[in-house]
C-alpha cells in the first residue's frame, strides 16, 4: 500500500482553553485501512483530539491536513462527509429510527432504500421492525448503534469513534466491532477510536497513548 502521503494528518496539534492546556502537542498520521486506538488517562485529551480531527474544535496550535490539504481550505460539509465523527452519546433526530437512517440520503436528495436500512439494523443485532420505533423508546446501547449506522450510510474515508460501544454488552459490542472491521478490510476505511476497554487495547495493533498535560507551577491549590 502506498503510504507516502497520509489520508489524515495532525501536525503538533494542541488545544488550550482559558489558559489551561487540555491537549498537549500530538502528531498523528492516518492511512487508508488503518485502525488506530487512542488511549490514555482521563484528562489526556482523547475526545478533544477526535473533535479536532472532526473539525468540531479548532486547535490552538498545529495543523490538520486531509489528503495533503489544510482542512481550513475545505468546505466543512464536504470534509465532514469524508471524515465522520460518532459521538459516545449520539444526538438522534426526528421521531423514529427510520428518520435517522434516512437522513443522510435525504441530505443528498436521494430516496432512502428502506430494505437496506432494515438489513443494516440486523448487522448490529437489531431487528428490521425497529425502523418504526420511536427514538424516545431506545436504550443507550440502541442509540449508539443507530448513530453508528447513520454515519455509515455513505462510507466515509475516515471514521472517528468516541467510545461508541460503551453502553453495549459483550455480544452486541462484538457485532459492532465486526461491522467496523468489515468496513476497514473491504472499504479501506481508516478508523481512529477512543476506548478504555482493556481487551481493545491489548488486541489493537496500532495504539497511540496520550499523556495528561502537566500542570503549570503555581496552578495547583495551596
Amino acid at each position: 500500500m502506498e503510504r507516502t502521503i497520509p489520508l489524515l494528518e495532525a501536525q503538533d496539534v494542541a488545544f488550550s482553553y482559558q489558559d489551561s492546556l487540555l491537549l498537549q502537542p500530538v502528531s498523528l498520521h492516518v492511512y487508508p485501512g488503518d485502525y488506530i486506538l487512542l488511549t490514555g488517562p482521563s484528562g489526556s485529551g482523547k475526545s478533544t483530539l477526535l473533535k479536532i480531527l472532526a473539525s468540531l474544535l479548532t486547535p490552538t496550535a498545529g495543523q490538520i491536513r486531509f489528503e495533503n490539504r489544510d482542512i481550513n481550505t475545505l468546505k466543512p460539509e464536504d470534509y465532514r462527509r469524508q471524515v465522520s465523527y460518532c459521538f459516545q452519546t449520539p444526538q438522534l433526530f426526528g421521531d423514529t429510527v427510520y428518520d435517522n437512517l434516512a437522513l443522510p440520503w435525504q441530505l443528498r436528495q436521494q430516496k432512502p432504500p428502506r430494505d437496506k436500512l432494515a438489513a443494516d439494523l440486523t448487522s448490529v443485532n437489531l431487528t428490521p421492525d425497529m425502523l418504526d420505533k420511536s427514538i424516545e423508546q431506545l436504550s443507550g446501547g440502541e442509540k449508539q448503534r443507530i448513530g453508528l449506522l447513520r454515519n455509515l450510510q455513505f462510507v466515509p474515508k475516515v471514521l472517528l469513534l468516541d467510545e461508541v460501544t460503551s453502553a453495549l454488552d459483550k455480544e452486541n459490542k462484538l457485532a459492532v466491532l465486526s461491522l467496523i472491521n468489515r468496513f476497514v478490510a473491504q472499504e479501506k476505511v481508516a478508523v481512529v477510536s477512543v476506548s478504555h476497554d482493556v481487551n481493545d487495547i491489548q488486541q489493537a495493533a496500532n495504539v497511540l497513548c496520550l499523556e495528561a498535560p502537566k500542570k503549570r507551577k503555581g496552578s495547583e491549590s495551596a
Side-chain angles (χ1 to χ4, degrees):
M1 180 186 297
E2 181 62 42
R3 297 179 67 90
T4 56
I5 299 177
L7 179 61
L8 183 64
E9 180 179 13
Q11 299 175 332
D12 296 319
V13 167
F15 185 80
S16 298
Y17 180 72
Q18 295 182 346
D19 295 328
S20 294
L21 183 62
L22 303 182
L23 175 68
Q24 62 183 355
V26 59
S27 294
L28 176 68
H29 298 82
V30 183
Y31 295 87
D34 276 353
Y35 198 132
I36 299 173
L37 188 70
L38 298 181
T39 186
S42 177
S44 59
K46 301 180 295 296
S47 292
T48 298
L49 176 57
L50 271 196
K51 290 176 181 176
I52 290 172
L53 294 175
S55 189
L56 299 176
L57 283 178
T58 301
T60 49
Q63 183 185 56
I64 304 294
R65 300 182 68 82
F66 177 69
E67 295 183 329
N68 209 29
R69 295 177 61 187
D70 187 327
I71 66 170
N72 292 321
T73 67
L74 306 174
K75 292 182 179 180
E77 60 271 22
D78 292 340
Y79 177 73
R80 289 169 187 161
R81 285 184 177 182
Q82 299 295 334
V83 181
S84 185
Y85 178 86
C86 293
F87 290 85
Q88 181 178 5
T89 305
Q91 179 66 48
L92 300 185
F93 303 98
D95 299 318
T96 66
V97 169
Y98 175 83
D99 291 337
N100 284 269
L101 299 185
L103 181 63
W105 297 85
Q106 294 164 344
L107 291 175
R108 293 166 174 82
Q109 298 183 336
Q110 298 184 37
K111 183 178 179 180
R114 190 177 178 90
D115 288 348
K116 177 191 181 301
L117 304 186
D120 286 346
L121 291 174
T122 65
S123 70
V124 290
N125 288 348
L126 297 173
T127 57
D129 60 5
M130 282 191 66
L131 276 179
D132 297 316
K133 189 172 183 177
S134 168
I135 60 173
E136 301 296 332
Q137 298 175 336
L138 299 178
S139 68
E142 288 170 341
K143 288 179 179 179
Q144 284 188 326
R145 282 174 280 175
I146 298 303
L148 175 63
L149 289 177
R150 184 177 62 193
N151 283 57
L152 290 173
Q153 288 304 301
F154 291 84
V155 183
K157 292 185 178 180
V158 182
L159 189 60
L160 306 173
L161 306 175
D162 195 354
E163 295 197 78
V164 298
T165 61
S166 61
L168 301 181
D169 60 22
K170 183 177 180 181
E171 179 183 357
N172 289 320
K173 178 179 178 179
L174 289 175
V176 167
L177 293 178
S178 176
L179 176 67
I180 294 170
N181 284 324
R182 189 160 70 245
F183 276 92
V184 171
Q186 296 179 1
E187 306 286 349
K188 299 303 177 185
V189 173
V191 172
V192 183
S193 176
V194 169
S195 177
H196 289 101
D197 191 300
V198 174
N199 291 325
D200 290 348
I201 296 169
Q202 290 176 341
Q203 295 176 19
N206 198 347
V207 177
L208 177 61
C209 185
L210 303 185
E211 296 181 0
K214 295 180 181 179
K215 293 183 178 180
R216 298 176 181 176
K217 291 183 178 180
S219 63
E220 297 182 356
S221 300

